[in-house]
């Protein structure tokens, strides 16, 4: 017989440990980089000034002044410590946390390096983050609405674009609220169209969505060239004003970030909360989720799968409609060909990154918004990094986040599958 | 797992055996409903799309609309004239002359290549939205070889194409690799890599390695004569050997998918990655390989844009929207190389015709995009067309082209 | 149709009796205009670059130049407009122009340059007017490039005097020279002001040292332009120079929404007239680049038989670039500062200040 | 007090699934519905449940015609169904699954989870169906999942309960418990339709038996007055062999040797926990166990699909730890995977393509990377004949074959060479009697040719019939070795539940 005693027992690393090791190594590299590049290589003893108030704020001139080099050394230390913890032992939750914290500190050191000897508005950057996150979050909410009932909506981009177009025209012609209504109607109609193709005709859902994108781009550009060019008065929409929330808006930093915005930004936050509650604490949500996870099971307890899907996909279109209205009625007063420029696709990424959850979508939106805002601040800070590379930042960050932090996310079990009765 | 198929054994006589497609068309295209049947739906789809397009043209004819109020008949006539003029230009621009035909083929060339790229991905269950980025990187690689190697044409061109293949394959491979290692979905990574490639190219065109000497704008140096794709129908027609390369690529992809063991693996993974893994295929490596192949095809399209036509000098816009058109095209061609060829010809014709339509009827080029979208809708939902024309459905009709996020 | 207006419905160009030299094309001798009648008016064809005719920038202005010429009787009715959507559209569009019988083709954007060069050489009978690039050395091509930074410099000087916060901001659509030249000239003008007055007015969004700055990366992403502008406003900027056509407007929206006392500097055509009404109070001044006027002049010269080929660098001295009047800011700008600004501009015209730093074409 | 189906006919494309079937059940009665795979039992019940609309026929309760256009109609009529494939949402809790479709809410549609879990508790107490209302379904063993299904039905106040093959996934002990529950329900006055093809069980529990074949109801009998053999003949339409005929095993050298094997499942929990055993040439070793006790992972590790965490494995003395599926296939290992449609076949591929699914890259099917489909198709034609795969042609998509023939495609592919080790998981799950007989015979034939055979099955009967030696796996460990000739089903069943040896 075989001699079991001499066969050595090989022990391989669990995925958890492997992940922690990789995280540890990355953190260590980051620590070394921060130490050397942001710490040692910085010329002279420079301070970075972070402004914490906006020129328009009630309370003025709160600043945070940090010594770039000292900060770099501190951050390098923190990163090295996190790395050490990871390399020794960690749990999955702590690995994610460590990576998150590590990136936060790294970016902080990076910003201080970029702002060495200069000053910039940190509060402005964070405020921009919030604003920039809105269309992404709304796009993601649209995706969540649909995919929670197992209909993939890749047509968010087209829904945003078409509803932004409508909002501009109707807003220009009949005023703000007409624009809002128009955007919501068009978003919902495109949702209905997607639902119709996907449910009634069982068209491959990705095809249906791509079609919506192409169609929306084509028809809005066509109309812009053929109609708006000659009817400029239809291309100048009014704007929703900012609503200052009394007292809260005057809190330094937080006031400017969260409490001095237009209606749509509050609405988006509200939607995130409402959708979270609706999905996870109401009858509607339980039924919707069951339709996305196991439509047949839902059917056997008397839930109308088709109706649920129609309803949610239309609501998904509605969310995109809100996004379109946000763009046209709060951000810009003019429609431009392809003015959404891919934000719908980024919304899709945010949906996946946010793991099909409303708060996840918001978090993902904020990460993307932050990357964008970071790029904008770096453009201001006149770093030696060419602007073309700065412009890549948001996209790079999205890839890193999706690949590095999220890994494989699990969609609703029936996602993308048509439901066949008989 | 539902056992919905336990029938043939117990009642073999009840289910008539499925005959394999017998005619040549069916063998080549895999559409086994016979000649007329298989052309019927696409033709009707095109027809309906054109009708819708006409409606859009008519309804946005402001002059005619204004006239409508005073003189209804006159307004309608004006609309009809406008549509007629537009479609006449569309048709003659695409097919009405040798030049038109050549422009159609010329426009079809990069579409075919990127369409194949996307189709190949679909076959393996991957949704490559990144053909544009892969074109950009492939094109720049080809441009580098074109500008910096001094070689005779017969070797310079192949080498530049090779560089494009490598460049595109690497750029596509990144998404494959990320998916294989971390599970990051290719839809997201390819979209992001499109943006990144675009800004990278913008940057590269401002550095001396690529930028035209003495120029301040981000525009490249001229491709030397030895690296330019020869025109196949003479200097007056823009069709170059790029078309031949694209057709060769279509044949290659056909072979790859249906005659090679790699293609067998690609298709297996596309249908069922689990079973493929059980059968000993290295699914993760295949993901990288497929994205690599897909990117390589798009890369060749990039080379075509860089080396393929006058003035043989590029800006960051050289990929245009071709990589996105390719998605529609691959869907339209049902991810089959032969289907993609037809789809590319159709889209090429629409492009060439669309330009003519703009020139002689002042219809914005965007109308073509609208028509493309409509064609896809009607082909993807043939029931719609059938409902309009009251055509009877064929017995079997199902092609799973894409997958959800799960893959 | 024949009387298709330009991208923006605009009142007629500003009267020529302002103090500032309006954009004028000195290359066309004025006195020859009323000479003997010309046999045939040119058939004009206009080809845009990828930005399209709605770019509120050079394409729109070029097309305006063409339609103005038609209106003034320098070209035949129904000029052809062809938009390019891809790089490979340039050549067929040019061919389409030729096939439609165009005798005078106007194109805009540096990217089309080579296609024009080839076709112009092959079609010596056709006249060409080319916006924003040069170096053709062909008799049938009239090239229009602009030493915009000369005017931009003076605008920068003015802005530095106007700002209360001591911060001036700028952003562009993409780091292309035709964009950056505005930003660079303005930044130098501000620096000059600082030097003269011993002040420390900051420029945000452009660095003369790194020759790089703040860009949105897109000429159509309006929302992005808005936050880009806001990001600069957050740094307390109160004079903004956005350079990118339609994406200039969201900056106006941002200022209006914030209700702050900030100004915009326009580019290309006098923004006070050219841009939508709601922004009228914001335009401090416009750095004018007389594209439309020069295109019209070029067609006029063709029509009247006194065509001149070759390149012109439009600059302060020949009046092709300049500053608009103050319009709505007339009362708000200190008269002394305005006089100084004009003096600076005059000094540039006279060559006493060398503001033409930015390369505008091949040497 | 009677539920009646009258003259039900249902046609699917190419199949007459139900052909003028009539049956009835009274309150307080247990009716067993018997029939082979594909006989039409599930279809009939789905019609009763409002999931399918019949082409002809009607459903009546107390002589009252029912309009059943959706499950809600059936639920309203007091009909409940425990489906063959559980209708539970895996990522929901027990309570969420139970209340789905009839959620208790507080004002404005907010879920009242307290009321929900109280309902679950009440039912589980009154019917002795113990279950944690807050547990996630995906974490529960099938036996408990079944209880959840029953609670679901009871919570809807069903008077008629349909159980579609409820015992297929249960151990003998669990079956016993289940029968207790069913009898309890009967006493509570419910009418019960019980579907199965396990004859013993049916005879034990039913008051009346209806037998279906080829979509028709062929007999309505009293269990007291009929034998197993008679029933089997009625089901299949011919006399059947109910036991596997095989010679005494003659074990030779150990072929597969496993030592202290540890492996994780997809959620990174330990699934295989220090398993050691060997399989010798010429013997069939069966692994019995309730589903989800690590058998799946064990097989995946041995066949190279899953990485082990620790331990060693060898085949013919050659170390295979960390070897790829292809390496292992190359060592003359035949693998019949557990789930044929998910992992054994690519059902959108043709028979030919599936026949070469793991040998396509070798001579003679390919030279370099060029495939030779003619040769592949010839080989497939031969195999189809040899292994009695009933298919119109080798170019037919496997998806249009019956389950048994699909399984034969796999067996043909895997057995058609000199096999040293056979690993077969659930080799006959969900296929008809004829195919089962055939596949069993082929497996025994491999053993007799000298191959080592490892069988995993959740059907204890199958393991008992096939194996020469039985290992029982419980919570990732081998908890006992049994001799099918000497040890009783009860003893083995006890071990499957973690009882002492
Ligand atoms: N298994 C095979 N055996 C023999 N030839 C094959 C096989 N698979 C593919 N081929 C060859 O490849 C050609 C194209 O394959 P086919 O059209 O069947 O692909 P497909 O995947 O079915 O396409 P479709 O998407 O249209 O269904 C066929 O004409 C056939 O000659
Ligand atoms: N949705 C469907 N579409 C087409 N055919 C179907 C469908 N459902 C069942 N069938 C076919 O109808 C016949 C009866 O199937 P059914 O599921 O009712 O059998 P069953 O007796 O329940 O078998 P099993 O013992 O395998 O559960 C089979 O031939 C099956 O393939
Ligand atoms: Mg356009
Ligand atoms: Mg059944």
């Amino acid at each position: 017989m075989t001699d079991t005693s001499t066969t050595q027992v090989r022990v391989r690393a669990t995925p958890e440990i492997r992940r922690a090791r990789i995280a540890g190594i990355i953190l260590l590299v980051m620590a070394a980089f921060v130490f050397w590049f942001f710490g040692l290589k910085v010329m002279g003893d420079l301070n970075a000034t972070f402004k914490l108030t906006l020129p328009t704020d009630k309370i003025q001139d709160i600043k945070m002044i940090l010594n770039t080099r000292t900060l770099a050394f501190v951050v390098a230390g923190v990163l090295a410590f996190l790395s050490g913890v990871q390399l020794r032992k960690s749990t999955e939750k702590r690995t994610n946390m460590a990576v998150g914290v590590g990136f936060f500190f790294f970016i902080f050191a990076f910003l201080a390096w970029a702002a060495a000897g200069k000053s910039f508005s940190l509060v402005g950057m964070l405020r921009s983050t919030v604003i920039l996150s809105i269309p992404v979050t709304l796009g993601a909410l649209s995706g969540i609405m649909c995919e929670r009932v197992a209909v993939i909506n890749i047509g968010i981009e087209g829904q945003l674009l078409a509803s932004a177009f409508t909002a501009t025209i109707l807003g220009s012609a009949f005023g703000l609220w007409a624009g809002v209504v128009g955007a919501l109607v068009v978003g919902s109609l495109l949702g209905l169209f997607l639902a119709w193709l996907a449910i009634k005709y069982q068209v491959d859902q990705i095809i249906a969505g791509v079609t919506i994108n192409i169609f929306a781009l084509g028809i809005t550009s066509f109309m812009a060239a053929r109609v708006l060019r000659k009817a400029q008065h239809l291309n100048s929409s009014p704007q929703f004003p900012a609503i200052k929330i009394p007292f809260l808006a005057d809190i330094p930093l937080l006031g400017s970030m969260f409490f001095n915005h237009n209606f749509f930004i509050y609405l988006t936050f509200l939607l995130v909360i409402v959708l979270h509650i609706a999905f996870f604490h109401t009858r509607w949500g339980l039924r919707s989720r069951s339709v996305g996870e196991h439509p047949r099971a839902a059917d056997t307890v008397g839930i109308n799968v088709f109706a649920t899907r129609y309803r949610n996909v239309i609501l998904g279109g509605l969310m995109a409609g809100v996004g379109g209205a946000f763009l046209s009625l709060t951000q810009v007063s003019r429609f431009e060909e392809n003015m959404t420029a891919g934000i719908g696709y980024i919304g899709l990424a945010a949906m996946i990154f946010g793991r099909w959850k409303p708060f996840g979508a918001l978090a993902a939106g904020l990460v993307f918004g932050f990357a964008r805002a970071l790029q904008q601040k770096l453009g201001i800070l006149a770093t030696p990094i060419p602007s073309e590379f700065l412009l890549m930042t948001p996209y790079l960050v999205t890839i890193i986040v999706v690949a590095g932090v999220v890994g494989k996310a699990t969609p609703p079990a029936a996602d993308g599958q048509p439901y066949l009765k008989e | 797992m539902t056992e919905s198929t336990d029938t043939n054994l117990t009642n073999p006589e009840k289910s008539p055996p499925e005959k394999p497609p017998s005619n040549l068309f069916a063998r080549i295209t895999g559409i086994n409903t016979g000649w007329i049947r298989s052309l019927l739906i696409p033709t009707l789809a095109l027809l309906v799309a054109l009708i819708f397009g006409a409606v859009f043209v008519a309804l946005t004819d402001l002059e005619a609309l204004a006239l409508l109020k005073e003189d209804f008949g006159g307004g309608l006539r004006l609309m009809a004239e406008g549509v007629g003029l537009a479609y006449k230009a569309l048709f003659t621009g695409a097919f009405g002359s040798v030049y038109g035909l050549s422009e159609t083929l010329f426009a079809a060339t990069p579409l075919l290549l990127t369409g194949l790229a996307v189709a190949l991905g679909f076959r393996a269950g991957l949704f490559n939205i990144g053909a544009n980025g892969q074109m950009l990187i492939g094109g720049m690689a080809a441009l580098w070889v074109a500008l910096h190697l001094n070689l005779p044409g017969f070797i310079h061109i192949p080498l530049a194409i090779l560089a494009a293949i490598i460049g595109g394959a690497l750029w596509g491979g990144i998404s494959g690799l990320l998916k294989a290692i971390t599970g990051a979905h290719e839809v997201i990574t390819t979209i992001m890599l499109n943006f990144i490639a675009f800004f990278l190219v913008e940057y590269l065109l401002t550095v001396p390695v690529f930028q035209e000497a003495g120029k301040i704008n981000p525009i490249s140096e001229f491709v030397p004569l030895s690296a330019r794709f020869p025109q196949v129908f003479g200097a007056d027609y823009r069709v170059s050997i790029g078309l031949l390369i694209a057709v060769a690529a279509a044949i290659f992809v056909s072979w790859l998918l249906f005659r090679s063991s790699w293609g067998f693996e690609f298709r297996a993974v596309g249908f069922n990655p689990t079973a493929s893994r059980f059968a000993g295929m290295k699914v993760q490596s295949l993901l990288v390989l497929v994205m690599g192949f897909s990117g390589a095809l798009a890369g060749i399209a990039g080379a075509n844009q860089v080396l393929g036509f006058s003035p043989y000098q590029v800006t960051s816009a050289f990929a245009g929207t071709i990589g996105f058109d390719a998605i529609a095209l691959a869907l339209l061609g049902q991810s089959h190389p032969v289907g993609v060829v037809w789809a590319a010809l159709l889209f090429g014709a629409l492009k060439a015709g669309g330009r003519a339509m703009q020139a002689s009827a002042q219809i914005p080029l965007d109308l073509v995009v609208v028509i493309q979208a409509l064609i896809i809708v009607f082909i993807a939902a043939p029931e719609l067309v059938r409902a309009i024309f009251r055509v009877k459905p064929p017995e079997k009709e199902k092609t799973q082209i894409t997958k959800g996020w799960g893959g | 149709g024949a009387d298709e207006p330009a991208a923006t419905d605009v009142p007629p160009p500003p009267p020529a009796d302002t103090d500032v030299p309006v954009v004028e094309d000195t290359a066309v001798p004025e006195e020859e205009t009323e000479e003997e009648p010309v046999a045939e008016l040119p058939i004009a064809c206009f080809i845009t670059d990828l930005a399209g005719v709605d770019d509120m920038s050079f394409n729109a202005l070029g097309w305006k130049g063409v339609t103005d010429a038609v209106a003034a009787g320098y070209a035949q009715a129904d000029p052809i407009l062809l938009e390019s959507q891809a790089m490979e559209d340039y050549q067929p569009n040019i061919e389409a122009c030729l096939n439609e019988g165009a005798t005078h083709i106007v194109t805009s954007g540096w990217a089309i340059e080579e296609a024009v060069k080839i076709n112009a050489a092959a079609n010596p009978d056709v006249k060409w007017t080319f916006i924003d690039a040069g170096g053709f050395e062909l008799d049938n091509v009239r090239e229009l490039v602009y030493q915009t930074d000369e005017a931009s410099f003076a605008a920068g000087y003015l802005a530095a005097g106007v700002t209360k916060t001591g911060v001036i901001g700028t952003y562009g659509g993409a780091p292309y020279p035709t964009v950056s030249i505005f930003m660079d000239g303005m930044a130098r003008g501000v620096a000059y002001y600082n030097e003269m007055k011993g002040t420390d007015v900051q420029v945000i969004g452009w660095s003369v040292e790194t020759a790089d700055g703040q860009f949105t990366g897109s000429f159509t992403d309006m929302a992005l332009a808005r936050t880009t502008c806001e990001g600069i406003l957050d740094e307390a900027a109160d004079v903004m120079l956005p350079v990118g056509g339609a994406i200039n407007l969201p900056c106006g929206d941002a200022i209006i929404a914030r209700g702050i006392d900030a100004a915009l500097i326009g580019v290309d055509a006098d923004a006070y007239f050219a841009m939508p009404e709601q922004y009228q109070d914001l335009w401090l001044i416009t750095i004018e680049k007389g594209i439309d006027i020069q295109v019209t002049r070029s067609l006029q010269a063709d029509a009247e038989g006194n065509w001149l080929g070759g390149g012109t660098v439009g600059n302060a001295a020949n009046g092709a670039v300049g500053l608009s009047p103050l319009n709505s800011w007339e009362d708000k700008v200190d008269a002394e500062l305005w006089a100084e600004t004009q003096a600076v501009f005059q000094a540039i015209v006279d060559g006493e200040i060398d503001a033409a730093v930015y390369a505008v074409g091949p040497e | 007090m009677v539920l009646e189906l009258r003259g039900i006919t249902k046609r699917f494309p190419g199949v007459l699934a139900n052909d003028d079937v009539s049956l009835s059940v009274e309150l307080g009665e247990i009716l067993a519905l018997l029939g082979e795979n594909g006989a039409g039992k599930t279809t009939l019940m789905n019609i009763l449940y409002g999931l399918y609309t019949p082409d002809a026929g009607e459903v009546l309760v107390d002589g009252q015609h029912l309009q059943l256009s959706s499950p809600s109609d059936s639920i309203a009529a007091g009909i409940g169904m425990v489906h063959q494939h559980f209708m539970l949402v895996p990522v929901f809790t027990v309570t969420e699954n139970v209340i789905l479709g009839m959620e208790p809410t507080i004002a404005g549609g907010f879920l009242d989870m307290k009321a929900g879990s109280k309902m679950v508790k009440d039912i589980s107490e009154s019917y002795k169906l113990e279950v944690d209302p807050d547990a996630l379904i995906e974490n529960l063993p099938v036996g408990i999942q079944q209880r959840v299904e029953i609670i679901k039905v009871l919570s809807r106040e069903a008077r008629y309960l349909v159980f579609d093959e409820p015992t297929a996934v249960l151990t003998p002990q669990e079956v016993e418990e289940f029968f207790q529950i069913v009898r309890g329900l009967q006493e509570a006055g419910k009418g019960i339709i019980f579907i199965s093809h396990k004859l013993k069980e049916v005879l034990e529990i039913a008051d009346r038996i209806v037998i279906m074949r080829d979509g028709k109801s062929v007999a309505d009998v009293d269990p007291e007055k009929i034998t197993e053999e008679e029933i089997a003949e009625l089901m299949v339409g011919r006399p059947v062999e109910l036991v596997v005929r095989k010679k005494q095993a003659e074990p030779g050298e150990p072929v597969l040797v496993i030592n202290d094997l540890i492996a994780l499942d997809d959620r990174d929990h330990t699934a295989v926990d220090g398993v050691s055993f060997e399989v010798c040439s010429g013997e069939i070793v069966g692994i019995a166990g309730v589903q989800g006790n690590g058998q799946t992972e064990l097989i995946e590790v041995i066949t190279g699909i899953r990485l082990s965490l620790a331990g060693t494995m060898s085949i013919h003395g050659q170390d295979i730890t960390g070897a790829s599926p292809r390496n292992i296939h190359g060592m003359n290992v035949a693998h019949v995977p557990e789930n044929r449609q998910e992992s054994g076949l690519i059902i959108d591929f043709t028979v030919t393509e599936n026949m070469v699914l793991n040998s396509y890259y070798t001579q003679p099917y390919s030279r370099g990377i060029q495939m030779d489909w003619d040769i592949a198709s010839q080989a497939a034609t031969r195999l189809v004949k040899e292994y009695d795969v009933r298919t119109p042609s080798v170019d037919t998509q496997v998806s249009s074959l019956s389950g048994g023939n699909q399984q034969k495609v796999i067996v043909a592919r895997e057995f058609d060479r000199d096999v040293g080790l056979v690993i077969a998981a659930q080799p006959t799950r969900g296929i008809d009697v004829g195919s089962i007989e055939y596949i069993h015979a082929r497996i025994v034939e491999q053993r007799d040719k000298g191959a080592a055979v490892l069988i995993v099955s959740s059907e204890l009967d199958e393991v008992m019939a096939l194996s020469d030696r039985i290992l029982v796996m419980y919570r990732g460990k081998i908890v006992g070795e049994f001799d099918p000739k000497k040890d009783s089903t009860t003893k083995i069943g006890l071990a499957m539940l973690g009882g002492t040896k």
Side-chain angles (χ1 to χ4, degrees), chain A residues 240-413:
Chain A
F240 275 94
I243 305 166
K244 238 181 168 173
I245 297 191
F247 310 116
L248 292 179
D250 294 328
I251 304 170
L253 199 66
L254 292 182
S256 302
M257 271 174 79
F258 295 113
F259 303 115
N260 188 7
H261 285 298
N262 62 64
F263 162 72
F264 278 87
I265 296 187
Y266 301 128
L267 177 67
T268 305
F269 286 117
L270 192 69
L271 277 175
V272 168
I273 297 167
V274 167
L275 285 188
H276 173 83
I277 293 171
F279 267 120
F280 299 106
H281 298 285
T282 70
R283 166 173 21 199
W284 173 86
L286 191 73
R287 293 186 173 191
S288 298
R289 286 186 291 136
S290 73
V291 165
E293 293 288 344
H294 197 331
R296 191 158 288 276
D299 196 356
T300 58
V301 293
I303 294 168
N304 188 334
V305 175
F306 297 130
T308 308
R309 288 193 175 174
Y310 267 107
R311 188 185 55 208
N312 275 40
V313 175
I314 292 169
L315 283 176
L318 190 79
M319 295 295 141
V322 177
F326 168 77
L327 291 175
S328 279
L329 301 174
T330 75
Q331 291 295 287
V332 296
S333 45
R334 202 184 137 81
F335 178 83
E336 272 296 305
E337 209 176 308
N338 192 22
M339 65 179 257
T340 45
I343 206 82
Y345 289 108
I346 291 171
L348 213 57
M351 171 194 73
I352 295 176
F353 175 34
R355 292 172 188 265
W356 289 268
K357 289 186 183 132
F359 277 105
L362 178 63
L366 287 170
V367 167
F368 182 82
F370 181 80
R372 222 349 147 210
L374 182 68
Q375 168 238 315
Q376 291 174 352
K377 280 300 158 202
L378 293 174
I380 288 172
L381 286 170
T383 54
I385 308 167
S387 50
E388 290 91 347
F389 287 92
L390 292 182
L391 287 169
M392 293 176 197
T393 319
Y395 310 107
L396 272 175
V397 167
T398 307
I399 288 193
I400 292 172
V401 159
V402 169
V405 186
V406 194
K408 203 177 170 85
T410 324

Side-chain angles (χ1 to χ4, degrees), chain B residues 146-338:
Chain B
L147 297 181
H148 295 282
L149 301 183
N150 194 0
L151 297 162
F154 67 89
I155 180 82
H156 205 175
I157 293 174
L159 215 58
I161 292 174
L162 185 68
I165 288 175
I166 294 172
L170 287 178
W171 204 251
I174 294 175
S175 296
L177 202 65
L178 287 175
K179 177 157 193 159
I181 294 177
T182 69
H185 201 278
E186 76 276 4
V187 164
I188 297 172
T189 55
T190 52
I191 291 172
M192 299 303 140
L193 284 169
N194 280 342
F195 287 104
I196 293 171
F198 177 79
F199 291 119
L200 186 62
V201 171
E202 291 247 293
Y203 173 74
L204 290 176
L205 288 173
T206 63
V207 296
V209 186
F210 289 102
Q211 195 177 24
E212 186 182 354
K215 277 287 161 69
I216 47 168
N217 292 310
I219 193 160
S220 80
E221 190 59 81
F222 289 93
V223 172
L225 279 174
S226 61
R228 296 180 184 181
F229 284 1
Q231 279 147 296
V232 285
F233 300 130
D236 290 343
Y237 303 110
R238 290 203 290 175
V239 179
S240 72
I241 59 159
L243 179 69
L244 307 181
I245 295 169
V247 171
I251 296 170
F252 170 77
V253 170
S254 236
W255 172 85
L256 180 72
L257 276 176
F258 303 118
R259 296 278 166 193
S260 79
S261 53
W262 273 356
F264 184 71
E265 291 172 337
F266 292 175
R267 289 184 296 129
V269 170
F271 278 127
N272 187 342
T274 313
S276 308
R277 205 156 52 86
F278 273 67
M281 299 175 193
K282 295 201 176 82
V283 175
Q284 312 295 73
S285 328
L286 282 172
L287 294 179
V288 184
L289 197 65
V290 171
M291 282 306 291
F293 265 109
S294 184
L297 288 162
I300 303 175
N304 180 71
Q305 296 302 96
V306 169
L307 312 175
F309 56 91
S310 168
Y312 302 100
Q313 185 190 31
V314 302
T315 64
S316 58
F318 73 80
T321 57
I322 291 168
F324 296 103
D325 300 344
I327 299 166
L329 207 115
L331 295 173
L332 189 55
Q334 311 215 333
S335 300
H336 199 289
V338 177

Side-chain angles (χ1 to χ4, degrees), chain B residues 54-114:
Chain B
V55 172
F56 290 132
V57 170
L59 289 184
T60 52
D61 190 336
L62 297 184
E63 279 169 40
L65 283 176
L67 186 62
L68 219 50
K69 282 192 204 109
E70 298 143 31
D71 172 6
F72 193 75
L76 282 187
R77 213 169 309 122
L78 198 59
M79 281 181 182
E81 269 168 30
V83 172
L85 192 66
Y87 279 175
K88 187 168 166 257
L90 180 72
F91 188 78
T92 48
F95 303 112
S97 62
V98 182
Y99 176 76
L101 273 173
S102 130
E103 281 297 295
T104 294
L105 291 176
F106 172 80
T109 302
L111 289 173
L112 173 53
L113 285 162
T114 46

Side-chain angles (χ1 to χ4, degrees), chain A residues 221-222 224-225 229 337, chain B residues 364-366, chain C residues 50-54 83-85:
Chain A
S221 306
F222 177 74
R229 193 176 291 165
E337 209 176 308
Chain B
L365 285 174
D366 309 293
Chain C
L50 304 186
V53 76
D54 300 320
E83 286 190 283
S84 307
Q85 280 196 344

Side-chain angles (χ1 to χ4, degrees), chain A residues 422, chain B residues 3-7, chain D residues 12-13 15 17 35-44 52 84 164-165 197:
Chain A
E422 288 192 34
Chain B
E3 288 300 332
S4 58
T5 49
D6 284 7
T7 52
Chain D
F12 288 118
V15 193
E36 265 201 287
N37 290 110
K41 308 178 295 283
T42 301
T43 305
L44 189 65
Y52 294 165
Q84 185 170 5
D164 194 353
E165 296 198 26
H197 35 211

